[in-house]
């Protein structure tokens, strides 16, 4: 028999209001006073509505009606949501404390409820606490109205069954059938009968009834999977798979069939056959890759898997995709030879250096083939254009290959791209780390020393020499002295660096360079500023007058013919017309510090223009005469000039053109050529006007009077009309001012004419010679 002492022993284990309330109910029949004490202790533990309800129900059981009422009031004050109100109402009704209020609270909670579980709980309260089957059914109907998925029905059916209402649970679950979507859900519905009700017959009937709904192989396969999982019915699985095979038509359907053959029957041959039929219609590279892996790793047919891999590879272009394919080949088939082929094709197809670096790294890591990786790294190197890419390659070669000869090649190439102290110091450090070659590293440090542009860079150089060449006391002393000088002049550098902010155009930057060089004579700072000026020139809109100033500054302050030549060639590519080409050629001849390079560039520019000229549909004698003049003036190329004049002569068609060619030839010292061209000019003159025009042009061009008089005299014989002869004779006075020669010519003309013509000659003689006297 339980005693008060026993109850007190159990009290030590109580931790919550519910624990004390439960113990109080046990104590009622033994010791009413002790039961009251336990209830008071339960009240002290109360925090939530459920705690007060447990204590209140204990008080009601002990006949402590007033105390129970007080606890119920506290419970009501603590209620916030619908279920807490409903629980209070159920307790009031269950204990008989206030059934009317209990019903009111449950109905109020029903009006506030929204979730399926809430309605289900309320339905239980209505039936159990109120004994109201109609209200319970109404609330359950609300649950049914909101249940949309199999999961909803299954969860709620489990709840009903767990509460001991198996009949309602089964009736409710049966209604889920109309919401089923597809064979997979039908199988899950059948499984619910097993898991929730343990009803194999009902589960089997669901599957049996579903067979008539199967239309596609995936339906038969899903149903067969249900029979296997729920009943281990191999015969039914085989029967359904036979039907599935009869319905397989498309590639997708053969895939469903193939997967089912393997997962349900473990039939490798039939699975492989179905996969073969599906392959021609599978085109998604991700799916092909996934299927290849499954066939290789699970089905165990690497040959067929390779066909899926090959089709996937045909659709790949990105490096990451190809690497994933090779990785899958190795992981799924272990066939490194085939993986090597994939890597090889990737290396052949890819061109971006970063992609090739990734492929090469995989070849080393996964295949261990350093020779193949080296070839890929070399292809990557061939496509690299900047220092950063070469340094990335250097790290890869050092880490993956340990090939010092190759690393040396990369460092040499990197040195051709590196510019500025930081980059060159970095190369020196890498040389020491990768090669341990102190001589090569020292050369990089020395080059870095030459290119210092700031105190910070000079400090970095001193630190590098101290760290890596501390034994070279002389060198260390030199760089420390340079640092001291740089720091001493830092105020001047600060002035110029501040001035940079205001140098917002190319021309202003070039003027700043001149001032800085006059003050500091710092070629490396000048190079930095010149690069900035070049960038500004491109941003402002290219202009040759500005570009020429940039070339002049590069030549004057750096003596860098290569850079100047690049600028001039860029200019040549931007302009049109020979006048502009001549400007660039003249600039090259005048500005380039290396005279041999200057002549070579001028020649290149003129030869390029000559090729363009030959290809033009229209060109004149003057085009070639200008070319000849420039060849002679800038290159002293008399042979080339002569050839150009020959081409010009072929284009000339009048005395003006030949006169100009003769002048050019004379200026070039080609006297014989000049004479021949003068004769051609004279041959073009068929009238006195043309003869006078020619003579006047030649005299203006600086030809001697004797040479011009001879030509002019020679033209006389081709003039047969008296009026032309008179006009020619007039020219003697106008062109040469020789009245005596003109008089002799008039006398001859008078003797050769008669009548009216003779009188006209005489009158013209009198008019002309009297004016000149």
């Amino acid at each position: 028999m339980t005693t008060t002492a026993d109850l007190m022993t159990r009290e030590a284990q109580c931790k919550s209001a519910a624990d004390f309330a439960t113990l109080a109910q046990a104590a009622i029949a033994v010791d009413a006073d002790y039961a009251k004490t336990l209830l008071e202790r339960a009240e002290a533990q109360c925090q939530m509505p459920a705690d007060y309800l447990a204590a209140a129900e204990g008080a009601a059981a002990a006949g402590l009606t007033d105390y129970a009422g007080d606890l119920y009031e506290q419970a009501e004050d603590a209620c916030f949501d619908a279920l807490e109100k409903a629980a209070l109402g159920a307790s009031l009704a269950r204990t008989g404390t206030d059934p009317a209020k209990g019903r009111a609270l449950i109905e109020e909670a029903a009006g506030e409820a929204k979730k399926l579980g809430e309605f289900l709980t309320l339905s239980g309260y209505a039936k159990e606490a109120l004994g109201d089957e109609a209200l319970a059914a109404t609330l359950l109907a609300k649950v049914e109205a909101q249940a949309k998925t199999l999961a909803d029905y299954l969860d709620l059916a489990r709840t009903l069954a767990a509460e001991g209402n198996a009949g309602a649970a089964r009736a409710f679950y049966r209604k889920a059938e109309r919401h089923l979507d597809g064979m997979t859900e039908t199988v899950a519905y059948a499984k619910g009968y097993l898991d929730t009700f343990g009803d194999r017959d009902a589960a089997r009937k669901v599957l049996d009834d579903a067979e008539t709904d199967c239309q596609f192989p995936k339906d038969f396969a899903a149903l067969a999977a249900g029979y296997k999982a729920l009943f281990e019915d191999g015969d039914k699985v085989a029967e359904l798979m036979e039907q599935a095979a009869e319905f397989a038509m498309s590639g997708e359907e053969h895939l469903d069939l193939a997967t089912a053959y393997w997962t349900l029957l473990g039939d490798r041959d039939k699975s492989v056959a179905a996969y073969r039929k599906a392959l021609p219609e599978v085109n998604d590279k991700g799916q092909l890759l996934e299927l290849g892996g499954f066939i290789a790793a699970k089905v165990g047919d690497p040959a067929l898997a390779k066909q899926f891999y090959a089709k996937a590879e045909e659709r790949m272009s990105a490096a990451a995709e190809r690497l994933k394919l090779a990785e899958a080949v190795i992981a799924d088939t272990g066939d490194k030879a085939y993986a090597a082929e994939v890597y090889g094709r990737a290396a052949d197809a890819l061109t971006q250096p970063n992609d090739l670096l990734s492929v090469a790294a995989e070849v080393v890591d996964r295949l261990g083939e350093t020779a193949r990786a080296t070839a890929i790294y070399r292809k990557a190197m061939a496509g690299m254009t900047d220092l950063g890419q070469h340094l990335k390659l250097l790290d890869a070669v050092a880490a993956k290959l340990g090939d010092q000869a190759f690393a040396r090649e990369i460092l040499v190439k990197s040195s051709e791209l590196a510019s500025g102290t930081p980059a060159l110091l970095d190369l020196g450090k890498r040389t020491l780390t990768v090669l341990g070659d102190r001589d090569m590293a020292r050369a990089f440090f020395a080059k870095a020393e030459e290119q210092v542009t700031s105190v910070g860079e000079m400090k970095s150089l001193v630190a590098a020499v101290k760290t890596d060449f501390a034994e070279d006391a002389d060198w260390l002393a030199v760089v420390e002295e340079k640092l001291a000088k740089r720091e001493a002049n830092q105020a001047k550098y600060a002035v110029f660096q501040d001035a940079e902010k205001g140098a917002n155009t190319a021309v202003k930057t070039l003027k700043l360079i001149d001032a800085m060089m006059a003050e500091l004579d710092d070629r490396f700072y000048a190079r930095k500023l010149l690069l900035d000026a070049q960038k500004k020139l491109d941003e402002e809109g290219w202009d040759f007058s500005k570009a020429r100033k940039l070339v002049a500054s590069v030549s004057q302050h750096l003596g860098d013919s290569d850079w100047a030549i690049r600028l001039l060639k860029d200019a040549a590519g931007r302009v049109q017309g020979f006048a502009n080409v001549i400007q660039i050629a003249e600039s090259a001849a005048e500005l380039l510090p290396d005279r041999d390079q200057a002549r070579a560039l001028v020649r290149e520019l003129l030869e390029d223009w000559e090729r363009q000229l030959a290809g033009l549909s229209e060109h004149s004698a003057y085009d070639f005469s200008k070319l000849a003049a420039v060849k002679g003036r800038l290159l002293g190329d008399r042979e080339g000039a002569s050839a150009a004049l020959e081409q010009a002569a072929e284009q000339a068609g009048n005395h003006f053109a030949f006169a100009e060619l003769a002048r050019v030839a004379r200026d070039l010292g080609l006297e014989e050529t000049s004479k021949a061209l003068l004769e051609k000019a004279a041959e073009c003159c068929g009238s006195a006007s043309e003869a006078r025009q020619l003579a006047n042009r030649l005299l203006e061009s600086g030809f001697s009077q004797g040479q011009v008089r001879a030509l002019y005299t020679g033209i006389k014989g081709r003039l047969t009309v008296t009026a032309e002869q008179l006009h020619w004779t007039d020219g003697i006075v106008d062109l040469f001012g020789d009245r005596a020669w003109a008089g002799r010519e008039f006398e001859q003309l008078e003797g050769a004419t008669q009548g009216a013509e003779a009188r006209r000659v005489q009158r013209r003689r009198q008019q002309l010679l009297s004016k000149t006297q």
Side-chain angles (χ1 to χ4, degrees), residues 200-266:
R200 292 177 60 84
D201 292 339
R204 181 82 187 204
K205 184 176 187 306
V206 170
L207 297 186
D208 291 344
D209 291 345
E211 184 173 348
T212 57
D213 295 330
C214 292
Q215 299 181 43
F216 304 101
K218 66 178 180 180
D219 297 333
F220 288 103
L223 184 58
Y227 277 104
K228 181 175 182 178
L230 302 184
F231 303 108
E232 289 292 331
D233 190 340
D235 292 339
K236 189 63 178 180
V237 170
E239 176 193 330
L240 289 169
M241 287 305 300
E242 287 180 6
Q243 295 184 65
E246 294 174 2
F247 281 81
M249 303 294 289
S250 68
E252 182 179 356
E253 290 168 346
H254 280 105
L255 283 181
D256 293 333
L257 187 64
T259 303
Y261 273 136
W262 179 253
T263 56
L264 299 178
L265 300 178

Side-chain angles (χ1 to χ4, degrees), residues 296-308:
K298 302 296 184 181
V299 181
D301 191 328
L304 178 58
K306 287 181 182 179
Q307 294 180 39
F308 278 81

Side-chain angles (χ1 to χ4, degrees), residues 719-731:
L719 305 177
T720 58
V721 178
T722 302
E724 289 292 320
Q725 292 172 341
L726 274 174
H727 192 36
W728 178 87
T729 304
D730 287 347

Side-chain angles (χ1 to χ4, degrees), residues 413-427:
K413 182 63 178 177
S414 297
S415 69
E416 297 172 2
L417 299 169
S419 178
T421 299
L424 290 163
L425 286 177
D426 182 46
L427 282 185

Side-chain angles (χ1 to χ4, degrees), residues 481-503:
E481 181 181 353
K482 285 185 177 182
L483 174 59
K485 289 181 178 179
R486 173 71 69 161
E487 289 176 330
N489 286 311
Q490 185 57 24
K492 294 180 181 179
Y493 278 98
V495 170
F496 284 108
Q497 288 166 351
D498 188 59
E500 282 185 57
K501 300 173 185 177

Side-chain angles (χ1 to χ4, degrees), residues 631-707:
K631 280 188 173 183
R633 177 161 53 86
L634 298 183
L635 297 176
D637 183 0
R638 296 180 65 185
E639 183 179 344
S642 180
L645 284 172
E646 288 181 9
Q647 289 180 288
E650 294 175 2
Q651 304 294 321
N654 57 51
H655 58 286
F656 288 123
F658 281 113
E660 173 62 16
L661 298 184
R663 181 194 66 77
V664 173
R666 181 203 65 196
D667 291 347
L668 294 173
L670 302 172
E671 294 297 339
E672 293 302 319
T673 300
S674 180
K675 289 178 181 178
L677 291 168
L678 287 174
E679 290 297 332
K680 289 183 177 293
E683 291 172 5
C684 290
C685 296
S687 68
S689 293
E690 291 175 338
R692 292 178 65 165
Q693 290 169 353
L694 174 61
N696 186 62
R697 174 66 64 85
L698 294 176
L699 289 171
E700 289 177 350
S701 298
F703 284 92
S704 68
Q705 280 215 2
Q707 195 173 12

Side-chain angles (χ1 to χ4, degrees), residues 268 272 276 292 294-306 333:
R268 179 180 179 277
V272 167
R276 289 188 189 281
F294 182 80
I295 294 168
K298 302 296 184 181
V299 181
D301 191 328
L304 178 58
K306 287 181 182 179
T333 71

